[in-house]
Amino acid sequence: MNMPTIVPRLNLHDTVTTAIRGMILDGVLVPGQKIAERALCDRFGISRTPLREALKVLASEGLIELLPRRGAIVAQITKADIRDLFPIMGALEGLAGELACARADARDIQRMRDLHDQMMDSYIRRDEHRYLRQNRKVHETIFALARNPALSEMYQQVLTRIHACRFILKKCDRDWAVAVAEHAEIMDALAQRDGARLSQLMRDHIAGTSVRIALASLDGNEERDAV
């Protein structure tokens, strides 16, 4: 699998941190996977010093676990994490939806509708990889339309913690269909600029469907580990 090549910069460990963070959030490095330091150093053309500085930063973000005398692994999320963090995500998304309704202009609404329609097309085509990318883009765009940088920063911080089960593949057909129907309601509420309704829809979407999908993904991983 192709990995990004690092272009030397003044602050090299920041560049390495960004690259590895992207690999984790994009699923190139998966939860529980051991970080192959030598392979990453060779690929990026760097020494172990900036790599280990980057791993310390990622550990502070909750993306990496540093194990004594065993190196580092990609952090794994637990059911307790899901129950603790998804309500926070739901509250953030609910506020973003309310602000977006108040602050988005007609061009913003059309841009969201275009993204929504592209996501629906991916659903019809059963292209889950494409749907996943577009689904994340839809949620990020709602935060962008809220025009509140502090809120967006909080969202990214929580998303980093729950990346392994927030936008995931292999949803069952029923859960995928429910998620799509909820997104249709979300788009309608935004188009109607109904902030209270959109806020509640966003909260329900995260607390209900997203949590159910996330917990199911962990149950699936446990079953595969037991085989």
Side-chain angles (χ1 to χ4, degrees):
M1 184 176 294
N2 291 332
M3 292 187 288
T5 299
I6 298 297
V7 177
R9 287 173 50 185
L10 181 61
N11 200 345
L12 183 57
H13 85 272
D14 283 347
T15 310
V16 177
T17 301
T18 298
I20 298 176
R21 183 188 296 114
M23 293 168 66
I24 294 171
L25 296 180
D26 290 341
V28 177
L29 298 173
V30 299
Q33 179 177 346
K34 182 175 176 58
I35 300 297
E37 292 188 16
R38 185 186 298 274
L40 289 177
C41 287
D42 290 345
R43 176 63 185 178
F44 295 158
I46 59 175
S47 69
R48 293 206 176 204
T49 297
L51 177 64
R52 288 177 175 173
E53 289 176 349
L55 294 180
K56 289 178 182 178
V57 173
L58 295 171
S60 72
E61 295 177 357
L63 284 174
I64 293 289
E65 293 180 27
L66 300 176
L67 307 176
R69 297 181 295 280
R70 293 171 55 194
I73 64 170
V74 180
Q76 303 180 77
I77 194 167
T78 67
K79 291 181 179 180
D81 292 329
I82 291 173
R83 295 188 179 102
D84 288 344
L85 294 171
F86 271 66
I88 298 173
M89 177 63 79
L92 295 175
E93 296 219 17
L95 178 56
E98 186 174 354
L99 292 176
C101 283
R103 299 176 178 178
D105 60 26
R107 288 188 301 177
D108 293 329
I109 300 295
Q110 186 58 53
R111 178 157 60 98
M112 265 296 298
R113 188 173 295 283
D114 290 343
L115 289 171
H116 173 80
D117 290 346
Q118 292 166 16
M119 187 175 68
M120 293 302 102
D121 180 69
S122 295
Y123 172 69
I124 292 170
R125 296 172 182 270
R126 316 303 286 179
D127 187 340
E128 199 170 4
H129 283 275
R130 185 166 173 259
Y131 175 91
L132 177 69
R133 293 193 301 272
Q134 292 163 337
N135 185 16
R136 181 170 176 173
K137 182 66 174 177
V138 163
H139 283 268
E140 289 176 342
T141 300
I142 291 174
F143 276 86
L145 298 186
R147 293 180 172 86
N148 187 316
L151 181 62
S152 294
E153 182 179 355
M154 292 178 190
Y155 168 73
Q156 290 298 332
Q157 289 172 349
V158 178
L159 181 60
T160 295
R161 292 282 304 279
I162 62 173
H163 73 281
C165 58
R166 176 64 184 92
F167 296 103
I168 62 172
L169 298 172
K170 304 304 179 187
K171 293 179 280 292
C172 73
D173 286 343
R174 182 181 66 84
D175 283 339
W176 197 2
V178 170
V180 164
E182 289 175 352
H183 268 283
E185 290 190 64
I186 287 169
M187 184 65 241
D188 181 68
L190 178 62
Q192 297 296 323
R193 300 181 185 279
D194 189 338
R197 179 181 170 220
L198 180 54
S199 178
Q200 190 60 53
L201 286 170
M202 298 293 287
R203 290 171 183 267
D204 292 345
H205 179 66
I206 302 302
T209 304
S210 295
V211 166
R212 186 170 62 250
I213 292 171
L215 291 173
S217 75
L218 292 191
D219 289 338
N221 289 339
E222 290 172 358
E223 290 175 2
R224 286 191 292 274
D225 290 342
V227 174

